[in-house]
Structures are given as C-alpha cells and as structure tokens.
Amino acid sequence: MKNIYLNIYKANSINLKKAKNYINNNNVIGLPTETVYGLAANAYSNKAVKKIFKLKKRPNYNPLIIHFDNLSNLNNDVIINNNFIKLYKNLCPGPITFILKKKKKSKIATSALAGNKTVAIRFPKHKVARNLLKSLSVPLAAPSANISSKLSPTSAEDVFDEFKNKIGFILNGGKCDFGIESTIVDLTSKPSILRHGIITEEKISKILKKKLKKKNKKKIKSPGQLLFHYYPGIPVFMNKKLPKENGAFITFGKKYKNRKNYFNLSQKGNLKEAANNLYKTMRKIKKQKYKSIAVCKIPNFGIGQAINERLKKASYK
Ligand code: TXA
Ligand code: MG
C-alpha cells in the first residue's frame, strides 16, 4: 500500500533535531503531547504564531497555550503565585494548564495572547514534547492540531487527516495517553476551572485545600471558549437511549449490547478510559459514514465532567 503519511516522522534523535530546526526557522510542526497532538511554533515569534492561526483558521481573539519545559524558564514571562507553586509541585509535568498574569517584559508574541494580559502556560509530560522543549531556547505556542471548532487529534495520523501536506513535519509520538485536552485552571484571582480535564476539580481543590470558584456561566472567561466546538462533522445528540436512523450510538458501561453501530467508550464503566476513547471513537464513526451520533448518559462527576463538557459543545445548536 502506498504510504500517504510522508510528513510523519518517527521521534528519534535525528528527527528531533529536524523538528528543532523547523521551530528555530519559525515554522509550524505537529507535536505529540500526553493529552492531544498540538500544532507547535516558536512562542516568541509573531511570524511563527500567525502561521498557526492561519492553518487552524482560528479566530485571532482566541489565545494559545504556551508550553514550557520547567519553572526556571518562566521567570521573564509570567508572575507566579503560591497556588501555582502548589499545583506545579503536585501535578507537573502533566495534563494541566494555568492562567497567570503576564509580565510587562514578556517576550511572548502578542498574537499568541490575542492581546490579553494573561498567559496560559503548560508543562507537557510526553517524552517527545519534553525532549524538544529541552533542546530549544524558546517556549512553544501550541493549540490542539485541528481546524478550529473540530475534534482534537490523538494520533499523528489524525493530524495528517486534518492538515494533509499543509504542514511539513509531524513528529510521531504514538497515541496520546489521555486523549482529551488539559484541564485549565485560572489562577489570576480566586482559582476556578475554565476547562475540565483528566485532572479533576476535586484533585485541584484537595491540593489547594480550598473550594474552587464556580464558573460564571454568563461570562465566558476563556476568550476562545466557543459554545460550538469538538464537532466531528455529523450531528451529536446527548443523553439518548437509542441511536437515530442510520446513526451510531456511543455507549458507556456493561449494560449495552454489542451491535454493529454501537461503540462502547468503556465496557468497565471507567471514565478515564472513556475520555481516552471519546475523540477516537467519534472520528471512527464519521469515517464509517454514519449520519449522526447519539450518546448515552455519561455520569457527570470527576472525569465525566470533562466528557460531558465536550459533548455539550459538540451537540450545541
Ligand atoms: O491539552 C492541551 O491543552 C492541548 C495540548 C496541545 O497542549 N492544547 C490545547 O490548546 O488544547 P487549545 O488552543 O486547543 O485550547 C486552549 C484553550 C482555548 O480555549 C483558549 O481560549 C484558552 O485555552 N486560553 C488560552 N489562553 C488563555 C488565557 N490567557 N486566558 C483564558 N483562556 C485561555
Ligand atoms: Mg483546541
């Protein structure tokens, strides 16, 4: 069979050097992280960051997450605080993003921040992402590697499906461990969750030894948190008992039968496993030409909150 994935590269030391050159020449690459694949570029270069926005067709008011290797490289860009230090010590590197205040002297490209005075920072755990970050002298701006409002990619092949040959270089780090995007916690005032993820509100609250502030539903705090997002390309319906005609049914737990159009996120009823299978399964269903996706009720606690948050946006009308 003809290999169509000519821009996917094995993450060995030679290709990591090539990736480093891409970044240093202000080009964009596909990068594996433990959550989802990112579209990464030099965070200090407006020219590089603008390429990300163009490729993703991302509205310019939606800021990017800036990825760092460790604490010591942060100093010139953001103002850190005690809540941040506590969470960093317990959870980093890992699938969590922090919103902090920007320092005046920060070199982060204004386009990456969409003009905001705050910065979203993250320390990815994936070995390939870490090795690349360690080899660079700049942080990486990296949103999920999908066209704006679509599903995030969880493998190098998904990134290729999204951008084909529009990006020159995709580092292959295998399938993502978690399969959904990082938890986002705003630490610029009283801590609050802006996006749920694998690291749950309960866990953050336990580390900080305080309750988190409830999200103000009317005010969208994350400037790019759109109501319609994670769209698989066919309509999605939540909390259903059956699929629609010619539709697929996403199920959870052992009470569901095995049918051709039934796709179980976790037979064991494990929410972490279900989150990992969510985007993968929606992509598979779309490829199999089903006309819609009905999803059964998914428990709304812990990681279930992250799953339901995404399903709600995918089914938004
Ligand atoms: O797991 C992840 O976080 C992945 C991997 C690649 O690291 N990245 C990711 O990036 O999900 P993206 O761009 O797809 O989602 C970032 C979210 C957006 O909703 C954006 O609006 C929000 O973070 N965000 C970025 N900067 C922000 C800021 N300063 N204040 C509030 N929200 C911000
Ligand atoms: Mg995204």
Side-chain angles (χ1 to χ4, degrees), residues 70-155:
N70 66 58
L71 270 188
S72 58
N73 302 327
L74 277 184
N75 249 333
N76 294 320
D77 290 317
V78 292
I79 302 167
I80 58 175
N81 56 41
N82 286 338
N83 287 332
F84 167 71
I85 299 287
K86 279 185 211 157
L87 293 173
Y88 178 87
K89 278 191 180 152
N90 281 278
L91 304 169
C92 291
I96 182 161
T97 294
F98 310 99
I99 310 294
L100 291 171
K101 288 184 181 151
K102 180 173 89 89
K103 276 195 179 161
K104 271 213 172 99
K105 63 176 177 185
S106 166
K107 285 197 282 187
I108 298 172
T110 49
S111 54
L113 305 180
N116 288 284
K117 292 199 170 82
T118 56
V119 188
I121 60 164
R122 163 158 144 68
F123 307 85
K125 193 174 186 170
H126 196 292
K127 244 168 91 182
V128 176
R130 281 186 71 70
N131 284 340
L132 180 63
L133 281 165
K134 268 188 205 145
S135 77
L136 294 166
S137 57
V138 295
L140 290 172
S144 52
N146 52 278
I147 308 283
S148 197
S149 86
K150 300 269 167 61
L151 280 180
S152 298
T154 58
S155 71

Coordinates of all heavy atoms in Angstrom, one line a residue, residues 70-155:
N70 N 10.3 23.7 32.1 CA 10.2 23.7 33.5 C 10.1 25.1 34.0 O 10.1 26.1 33.3 CB 11.4 23.0 34.2 CG 12.7 23.7 33.9 OD1 12.9 24.9 34.2 ND2 13.6 23.0 33.2
L71 N 10.0 25.2 35.4 CA 9.8 26.5 36.0 C 10.9 27.6 35.7 O 10.5 28.8 35.6 CB 9.9 26.3 37.5 CG 8.7 25.9 38.3 CD1 9.0 26.0 39.8 CD2 7.6 26.9 38.0
S72 N 12.1 27.1 35.6 CA 13.2 28.1 35.5 C 13.1 29.0 34.3 O 13.7 30.1 34.2 CB 14.5 27.4 35.6 OG 14.6 26.5 34.6
N73 N 12.4 28.5 33.3 CA 12.3 29.3 32.0 C 11.1 30.3 32.0 O 10.9 30.9 31.0 CB 12.2 28.4 30.8 CG 13.4 27.4 30.8 OD1 14.5 27.8 31.2 ND2 13.2 26.2 30.3
L74 N 10.4 30.3 33.1 CA 9.1 31.1 33.1 C 9.3 32.5 33.5 O 8.5 33.4 33.2 CB 8.2 30.5 34.2 CG 7.4 29.4 34.0 CD1 6.6 29.2 35.3 CD2 6.5 29.6 32.9
N75 N 10.4 32.7 34.3 CA 10.6 33.9 35.0 C 10.4 35.2 34.3 O 9.8 36.2 34.9 CB 12.0 33.9 35.5 CG 12.0 33.7 37.0 OD1 11.0 34.1 37.6 ND2 13.0 33.2 37.6
N76 N 10.7 35.3 33.1 CA 10.6 36.6 32.4 C 9.2 36.8 31.8 O 8.9 37.9 31.4 CB 11.6 36.7 31.3 CG 13.0 36.7 31.8 OD1 13.2 37.4 32.8 ND2 13.9 36.0 31.2
D77 N 8.4 35.8 31.8 CA 7.1 35.9 31.1 C 5.9 36.0 31.9 O 4.9 36.7 31.6 CB 7.0 34.7 30.1 CG 7.9 34.7 29.0 OD1 8.1 35.8 28.4 OD2 8.6 33.7 28.7
V78 N 5.8 35.3 33.1 CA 4.6 35.4 33.9 C 4.9 35.6 35.4 O 6.0 35.4 35.9 CB 3.8 34.1 33.8 CG1 3.2 33.9 32.4 CG2 4.6 32.9 34.2
I79 N 3.9 36.1 36.1 CA 4.0 36.4 37.5 C 3.5 35.1 38.2 O 2.3 34.8 38.1 CB 3.2 37.6 37.9 CG1 3.7 38.8 37.2 CG2 3.3 37.8 39.5 CD1 2.8 40.0 37.2
I80 N 4.3 34.4 39.0 CA 3.8 33.2 39.6 C 3.3 33.5 41.0 O 3.6 34.6 41.6 CB 4.9 32.1 39.6 CG1 6.2 32.5 40.4 CG2 5.2 31.6 38.2 CD1 7.2 31.4 40.5
N81 N 2.5 32.6 41.6 CA 1.9 32.8 42.9 C 1.9 31.5 43.6 O 2.2 30.5 43.1 CB 0.5 33.5 42.8 CG -0.4 32.7 41.9 OD1 -0.5 31.4 42.0 ND2 -1.2 33.4 41.1
N82 N 1.5 31.5 44.9 CA 1.5 30.3 45.8 C 0.6 29.2 45.3 O 1.0 28.0 45.3 CB 1.1 30.7 47.2 CG 2.2 31.4 47.9 OD1 3.4 31.3 47.5 ND2 1.9 32.2 48.9
N83 N -0.6 29.5 44.8 CA -1.4 28.5 44.3 C -0.8 27.8 43.1 O -0.8 26.5 43.0 CB -2.8 29.1 43.8 CG -3.6 29.5 44.9 OD1 -3.5 28.9 46.0 ND2 -4.5 30.5 44.7
F84 N -0.1 28.5 42.3 CA 0.6 27.9 41.1 C 1.7 27.0 41.6 O 1.8 25.9 41.1 CB 1.2 29.0 40.2 CG 2.1 28.5 39.2 CD1 1.7 27.7 38.1 CD2 3.5 28.7 39.3 CE1 2.6 27.2 37.2 CE2 4.4 28.2 38.4 CZ 3.9 27.4 37.4
I85 N 2.5 27.5 42.6 CA 3.6 26.6 43.0 C 3.1 25.3 43.6 O 3.7 24.2 43.3 CB 4.4 27.4 44.1 CG1 5.0 28.7 43.6 CG2 5.5 26.5 44.7 CD1 6.2 28.5 42.6
K86 N 2.0 25.4 44.4 CA 1.5 24.1 45.0 C 1.0 23.2 43.9 O 1.3 22.0 43.9 CB 0.3 24.5 45.8 CG 0.6 25.0 47.2 CD -0.6 25.2 48.0 CE -0.4 26.3 49.0 NZ -1.6 26.9 49.5
L87 N 0.3 23.7 42.9 CA -0.2 22.8 41.8 C 0.9 22.3 41.0 O 1.0 21.1 40.6 CB -1.2 23.5 41.0 CG -2.5 23.9 41.7 CD1 -3.4 24.8 40.9 CD2 -3.3 22.6 42.1
Y88 N 1.9 23.2 40.7 CA 3.1 22.8 39.9 C 3.8 21.6 40.5 O 4.1 20.6 39.9 CB 4.0 23.9 39.7 CG 5.2 23.6 38.9 CD1 5.2 23.6 37.5 CD2 6.4 23.1 39.5 CE1 6.3 23.3 36.7 CE2 7.5 22.8 38.7 CZ 7.5 22.8 37.4 OH 8.6 22.5 36.6
K89 N 4.0 21.7 41.8 CA 4.8 20.7 42.6 C 4.1 19.4 42.6 O 4.7 18.3 42.5 CB 5.0 21.1 44.0 CG 6.2 22.1 44.2 CD 6.5 22.3 45.6 CE 7.7 23.2 45.8 NZ 7.6 23.9 47.1
N90 N 2.7 19.4 42.6 CA 2.0 18.2 42.7 C 1.6 17.5 41.4 O 1.5 16.3 41.3 CB 0.7 18.4 43.5 CG 0.9 18.4 45.0 OD1 1.0 17.4 45.6 ND2 1.1 19.6 45.5
L91 N 1.5 18.4 40.3 CA 0.9 17.9 39.1 C 1.8 18.0 37.8 O 1.4 17.5 36.8 CB -0.4 18.6 38.8 CG -1.5 18.5 40.0 CD1 -2.6 19.5 39.7 CD2 -2.0 17.1 40.1
C92 N 2.9 18.7 37.9 CA 3.7 18.9 36.7 C 5.0 18.1 36.6 O 5.6 17.9 37.7 CB 3.9 20.4 36.6 SG 2.4 21.3 36.3
P93 N 5.4 17.7 35.5 CA 4.7 17.9 34.2 C 3.4 17.1 34.2 O 3.4 16.0 34.7 CB 5.7 17.5 33.1 CG 6.6 16.5 33.9 CD 6.7 17.0 35.3
G94 N 2.4 17.5 33.4 CA 1.2 16.8 33.4 C 0.1 17.6 32.6 O 0.3 18.7 32.2
P95 N -1.1 17.0 32.6 CA -2.2 17.5 31.7 C -3.0 18.6 32.4 O -4.2 18.6 32.5 CB -3.1 16.3 31.5 CG -2.9 15.4 32.7 CD -1.5 15.6 33.1
I96 N -2.3 19.7 32.7 CA -3.0 20.9 33.3 C -2.3 22.2 32.8 O -1.1 22.2 32.6 CB -2.9 20.8 34.9 CG1 -3.7 22.0 35.5 CG2 -1.5 20.7 35.4 CD1 -4.1 21.8 36.9
T97 N -3.2 23.2 32.6 CA -2.8 24.5 32.1 C -3.2 25.5 33.1 O -4.3 25.5 33.7 CB -3.5 24.8 30.7 OG1 -3.0 23.8 29.8 CG2 -3.2 26.2 30.3
F98 N -2.3 26.5 33.4 CA -2.5 27.5 34.4 C -2.7 28.9 33.7 O -1.8 29.2 32.8 CB -1.4 27.6 35.3 CG -1.0 26.3 35.9 CD1 0.1 25.6 35.4 CD2 -1.7 25.7 37.0 CE1 0.5 24.3 35.9 CE2 -1.3 24.5 37.5 CZ -0.3 23.8 37.0
I99 N -3.6 29.7 34.1 CA -3.7 31.1 33.6 C -3.1 31.9 34.7 O -3.5 31.9 35.8 CB -5.2 31.5 33.4 CG1 -6.0 30.5 32.5 CG2 -5.2 32.9 32.8 CD1 -5.5 30.3 31.1
L100 N -2.0 32.7 34.2 CA -1.3 33.6 35.1 C -1.2 35.0 34.5 O -1.4 35.1 33.3 CB 0.1 33.0 35.4 CG 0.2 31.7 36.2 CD1 1.6 31.2 36.2 CD2 -0.3 32.0 37.7
K101 N -0.8 35.9 35.3 CA -0.7 37.3 34.8 C 0.7 37.4 34.0 O 1.7 36.8 34.5 CB -0.7 38.3 35.9 CG -2.1 38.5 36.4 CD -2.2 39.6 37.5 CE -3.7 39.6 37.9 NZ -3.8 40.1 39.3
K102 N 0.6 38.1 32.9 CA 1.8 38.3 32.1 C 2.7 39.4 32.7 O 2.2 40.3 33.3 CB 1.3 38.8 30.7 CG 2.4 39.0 29.7 CD 1.8 39.3 28.3 CE 1.5 40.8 28.1 NZ 2.6 41.5 27.6
K103 N 4.0 39.2 32.6 CA 4.9 40.2 33.0 C 5.1 41.2 31.8 O 5.0 40.8 30.7 CB 6.3 39.6 33.3 CG 6.4 39.1 34.7 CD 7.9 38.8 35.0 CE 8.0 38.3 36.5 NZ 9.2 37.6 36.7
K104 N 5.3 42.5 32.2 CA 5.4 43.5 31.2 C 6.5 43.2 30.2 O 6.3 43.4 29.0 CB 5.7 44.9 31.9 CG 4.4 45.6 32.2 CD 4.6 47.1 32.1 CE 3.2 47.9 32.3 NZ 3.1 48.4 33.6
K105 N 7.6 42.7 30.7 CA 8.8 42.5 29.8 C 8.7 41.2 29.0 O 9.6 40.8 28.3 CB 10.0 42.5 30.7 CG 10.1 41.4 31.7 CD 11.5 41.4 32.4 CE 11.5 40.4 33.5 NZ 12.6 40.3 34.3
S106 N 7.6 40.5 29.2 CA 7.5 39.2 28.5 C 7.7 39.3 27.0 O 7.3 40.2 26.3 CB 6.1 38.6 28.7 OG 5.8 37.5 27.8
K107 N 8.4 38.2 26.5 CA 8.7 38.2 25.1 C 7.7 37.4 24.2 O 7.8 37.2 23.0 CB 10.1 37.6 24.8 CG 11.2 38.5 25.2 CD 12.6 38.1 24.6 CE 13.1 36.9 25.4 NZ 14.4 36.4 25.1
I108 N 6.7 36.9 24.9 CA 5.7 36.1 24.2 C 5.0 36.9 23.1 O 4.6 38.1 23.4 CB 4.7 35.5 25.2 CG1 5.4 34.5 26.1 CG2 3.6 34.7 24.4 CD1 4.5 34.0 27.3
A109 N 4.9 36.4 21.9 CA 4.3 37.1 20.8 C 2.9 37.6 21.2 O 2.1 36.8 21.7 CB 4.2 36.2 19.6
T110 N 2.6 38.9 20.9 CA 1.2 39.4 21.2 C 0.1 38.6 20.5 O -1.0 38.5 21.1 CB 1.1 40.9 20.9 OG1 1.6 41.1 19.6 CG2 1.9 41.8 21.8
S111 N 0.4 38.2 19.3 CA -0.7 37.4 18.6 C -1.0 36.1 19.3 O -2.2 35.7 19.3 CB -0.2 37.1 17.2 OG 1.0 36.5 17.2
A112 N 0.0 35.5 20.0 CA -0.3 34.2 20.7 C -1.2 34.5 21.9 O -2.0 33.6 22.3 CB 1.0 33.6 21.2
L113 N -1.2 35.7 22.5 CA -2.0 36.0 23.6 C -3.3 36.7 23.3 O -4.1 37.1 24.1 CB -1.2 36.9 24.6 CG 0.1 36.3 25.1 CD1 0.8 37.2 26.0 CD2 -0.1 34.9 25.7
A114 N -3.5 37.0 22.0 CA -4.6 37.7 21.5 C -4.8 39.0 22.2 O -6.0 39.4 22.5 CB -5.9 36.8 21.6
G115 N -3.7 39.6 22.6 CA -3.8 40.9 23.2 C -4.1 40.9 24.7 O -4.2 41.9 25.3
N116 N -4.2 39.7 25.3 CA -4.6 39.6 26.7 C -3.4 39.9 27.6 O -2.2 39.7 27.2 CB -5.1 38.2 27.0 CG -6.5 38.0 26.5 OD1 -7.4 38.5 27.0 ND2 -6.5 37.3 25.4
K117 N -3.7 40.3 28.9 CA -2.6 40.5 29.8 C -2.4 39.3 30.7 O -1.7 39.3 31.7 CB -2.9 41.7 30.7 CG -2.9 43.0 29.9 CD -2.8 44.2 30.9 CE -2.5 45.5 30.1 NZ -3.8 46.1 29.6
T118 N -3.0 38.2 30.3 CA -2.8 36.9 31.0 C -2.2 35.9 30.0 O -2.3 36.1 28.8 CB -4.1 36.3 31.5 OG1 -5.0 36.2 30.4 CG2 -4.7 37.2 32.6
V119 N -1.5 34.8 30.6 CA -0.9 33.8 29.7 C -1.3 32.4 30.2 O -1.4 32.2 31.5 CB 0.6 33.9 29.8 CG1 1.3 32.9 28.8 CG2 1.2 35.3 29.6
A120 N -1.7 31.6 29.3 CA -2.0 30.2 29.6 C -0.7 29.4 29.5 O -0.1 29.4 28.4 CB -3.0 29.6 28.7
I121 N -0.2 28.8 30.6 CA 1.0 28.0 30.5 C 0.8 26.5 30.9 O 0.0 26.2 31.7 CB 2.2 28.6 31.4 CG1 1.7 28.6 32.8 CG2 2.5 30.0 30.9 CD1 2.9 28.8 33.8
R122 N 1.7 25.7 30.2 CA 1.5 24.3 30.5 C 2.9 23.6 30.3 O 3.7 24.0 29.5 CB 0.5 23.7 29.5 CG 0.5 22.3 29.2 CD -0.9 21.8 28.7 NE -0.8 20.7 27.7 CZ -0.4 19.5 28.0 NH1 -0.1 19.2 29.2 NH2 -0.4 18.6 27.0
F123 N 3.1 22.5 31.1 CA 4.3 21.7 31.1 C 4.0 20.3 30.7 O 3.6 19.5 31.6 CB 4.9 21.7 32.5 CG 5.1 23.1 33.1 CD1 4.1 23.7 33.7 CD2 6.3 23.8 32.9 CE1 4.2 25.0 34.2 CE2 6.5 25.1 33.4 CZ 5.4 25.7 34.1
P124 N 4.0 20.0 29.4 CA 3.6 18.7 29.0 C 4.5 17.6 29.5 O 5.7 17.8 29.7 CB 3.6 18.8 27.4 CG 4.6 19.9 27.1 CD 4.5 20.9 28.3
K125 N 3.9 16.4 29.6 CA 4.6 15.3 30.2 C 5.2 14.4 29.1 O 6.1 13.6 29.4 CB 3.7 14.5 31.1 CG 4.4 13.5 32.0 CD 3.4 12.9 33.0 CE 4.2 12.0 33.9 NZ 3.4 11.5 35.0
H126 N 4.6 14.4 28.0 CA 5.0 13.5 26.9 C 6.5 13.6 26.6 O 7.0 14.7 26.5 CB 4.2 13.8 25.6 CG 4.3 12.7 24.6 ND1 5.5 12.4 23.9 CD2 3.4 11.9 24.1 CE1 5.2 11.4 23.1 NE2 4.0 11.0 23.2
K127 N 7.2 12.5 26.6 CA 8.7 12.5 26.4 C 9.1 13.3 25.2 O 10.1 14.0 25.3 CB 9.2 11.0 26.3 CG 10.0 10.6 27.5 CD 10.3 9.2 27.5 CE 11.5 8.8 26.8 NZ 11.7 7.3 26.8
V128 N 8.5 13.1 24.1 CA 8.9 13.7 22.9 C 8.7 15.3 23.0 O 9.7 16.0 22.6 CB 8.0 13.2 21.7 CG1 8.4 14.0 20.4 CG2 8.3 11.7 21.5
A129 N 7.6 15.7 23.5 CA 7.4 17.1 23.7 C 8.5 17.7 24.7 O 9.1 18.8 24.5 CB 6.0 17.4 24.3
R130 N 8.7 17.0 25.7 CA 9.7 17.4 26.7 C 11.1 17.5 26.1 O 11.9 18.4 26.4 CB 9.8 16.5 28.0 CG 8.6 16.7 28.9 CD 8.8 15.9 30.2 NE 9.8 16.3 31.0 CZ 9.8 17.5 31.7 NH1 8.8 18.3 31.6 NH2 10.8 17.8 32.5
N131 N 11.5 16.4 25.4 CA 12.8 16.4 24.8 C 13.0 17.6 23.8 O 14.0 18.3 23.8 CB 13.1 15.1 24.0 CG 13.4 14.0 25.0 OD1 13.8 14.3 26.1 ND2 13.2 12.8 24.6
L132 N 12.0 17.9 23.0 CA 12.0 19.0 22.1 C 12.2 20.3 22.9 O 13.0 21.1 22.6 CB 10.8 19.0 21.2 CG 10.8 20.2 20.2 CD1 12.0 20.0 19.2 CD2 9.5 20.2 19.4
L133 N 11.3 20.5 23.9 CA 11.3 21.7 24.7 C 12.7 21.9 25.3 O 13.2 23.1 25.4 CB 10.2 21.7 25.8 CG 8.8 22.1 25.3 CD1 7.8 21.7 26.3 CD2 8.7 23.6 24.9
K134 N 13.3 20.9 25.8 CA 14.6 20.9 26.5 C 15.7 21.4 25.5 O 16.6 22.1 25.9 CB 15.0 19.6 27.0 CG 14.6 19.4 28.5 CD 15.2 18.1 29.0 CE 14.3 17.7 30.2 NZ 14.2 16.2 30.3
S135 N 15.5 21.0 24.2 CA 16.6 21.3 23.3 C 16.4 22.8 22.7 O 17.3 23.3 22.1 CB 16.5 20.4 22.1 OG 15.4 20.7 21.2
L136 N 15.3 23.4 23.0 CA 15.0 24.8 22.5 C 15.4 25.9 23.5 O 15.3 25.6 24.7 CB 13.6 24.9 22.1 CG 13.0 24.0 21.0 CD1 11.5 24.0 21.0 CD2 13.6 24.5 19.6
S137 N 15.6 27.1 23.0 CA 15.8 28.2 23.9 C 14.5 29.1 24.0 O 14.5 30.1 24.6 CB 17.0 29.0 23.5 OG 16.8 29.4 22.2
V138 N 13.4 28.6 23.4 CA 12.2 29.3 23.4 C 11.0 28.4 23.8 O 11.1 27.2 23.6 CB 11.8 29.9 22.0 CG1 12.9 31.0 21.6 CG2 11.7 28.8 20.9
P139 N 10.0 29.0 24.4 CA 8.8 28.1 24.7 C 8.0 27.9 23.4 O 8.2 28.6 22.4 CB 8.0 28.9 25.7 CG 8.4 30.3 25.5 CD 9.8 30.3 25.0
L140 N 7.0 26.9 23.4 CA 6.2 26.6 22.3 C 4.8 27.0 22.4 O 4.1 26.6 23.4 CB 6.3 25.1 22.0 CG 7.6 24.6 21.4 CD1 7.6 23.0 21.4 CD2 7.9 25.1 20.1
A141 N 4.3 27.8 21.5 CA 2.8 28.1 21.5 C 2.2 26.9 20.8 O 2.7 26.5 19.7 CB 2.5 29.3 20.7
A142 N 1.2 26.2 21.4 CA 0.6 25.0 20.7 C -0.8 24.8 21.1 O -1.1 24.4 22.2 CB 1.5 23.8 21.1
P143 N -1.7 25.1 20.2 CA -3.1 24.7 20.3 C -3.3 23.3 19.8 O -2.3 22.7 19.3 CB -3.8 25.7 19.4 CG -2.8 25.9 18.3 CD -1.5 25.9 18.9
S144 N -4.4 22.7 20.1 CA -4.6 21.4 19.5 C -4.5 21.4 18.0 O -4.9 22.4 17.4 CB -6.0 20.9 20.0 OG -7.0 21.8 19.7
A145 N -4.0 20.3 17.4 CA -3.8 20.3 16.0 C -5.0 19.9 15.2 O -5.0 18.9 14.5 CB -2.6 19.4 15.7
N146 N -6.0 20.8 15.2 CA -7.2 20.5 14.4 C -7.7 21.9 13.9 O -7.3 22.9 14.4 CB -8.3 20.0 15.3 CG -8.6 20.8 16.6 OD1 -7.8 20.7 17.6 ND2 -9.5 21.7 16.5
I147 N -8.5 21.8 12.8 CA -9.1 23.0 12.3 C -10.1 23.5 13.4 O -10.7 22.7 14.1 CB -9.9 22.7 11.0 CG1 -9.1 22.0 10.0 CG2 -10.6 24.0 10.5 CD1 -8.1 22.8 9.2
S148 N -10.1 24.8 13.6 CA -10.9 25.5 14.7 C -12.3 24.9 14.7 O -12.9 24.7 13.6 CB -10.9 27.0 14.4 OG -11.4 27.6 15.5
S149 N -12.8 24.6 15.9 CA -14.1 24.1 16.2 C -14.3 22.6 15.9 O -15.3 22.0 16.2 CB -15.3 24.9 15.6 OG -15.5 24.4 14.3
K150 N -13.3 21.9 15.4 CA -13.4 20.5 15.1 C -12.8 19.6 16.3 O -12.3 20.2 17.3 CB -12.6 20.1 13.8 CG -13.2 20.9 12.6 CD -14.2 20.1 11.9 CE -15.0 20.9 10.9 NZ -14.2 21.4 9.8
L151 N -12.7 18.3 16.1 CA -12.2 17.4 17.1 C -10.7 17.5 17.2 O -10.0 17.5 16.2 CB -12.5 16.0 16.7 CG -13.9 15.4 17.0 CD1 -14.0 14.0 16.5 CD2 -14.2 15.5 18.4
S152 N -10.1 17.4 18.4 CA -8.7 17.3 18.5 C -8.1 16.0 18.1 O -8.8 15.0 18.3 CB -8.3 17.6 20.0 OG -8.7 18.8 20.4
P153 N -6.9 16.0 17.6 CA -6.3 14.7 17.1 C -5.5 14.0 18.2 O -4.9 14.6 19.1 CB -5.3 15.2 16.1 CG -5.0 16.6 16.4 CD -6.1 17.2 17.2
T154 N -5.6 12.7 18.3 CA -5.0 11.9 19.3 C -3.9 11.0 18.7 O -3.4 10.1 19.5 CB -6.0 11.1 20.1 OG1 -6.8 10.3 19.2 CG2 -7.0 12.0 20.8
S155 N -3.6 11.1 17.5 CA -2.5 10.3 16.9 C -1.9 11.2 15.7 O -2.5 12.1 15.2 CB -3.0 9.0 16.3 OG -3.8 9.2 15.1

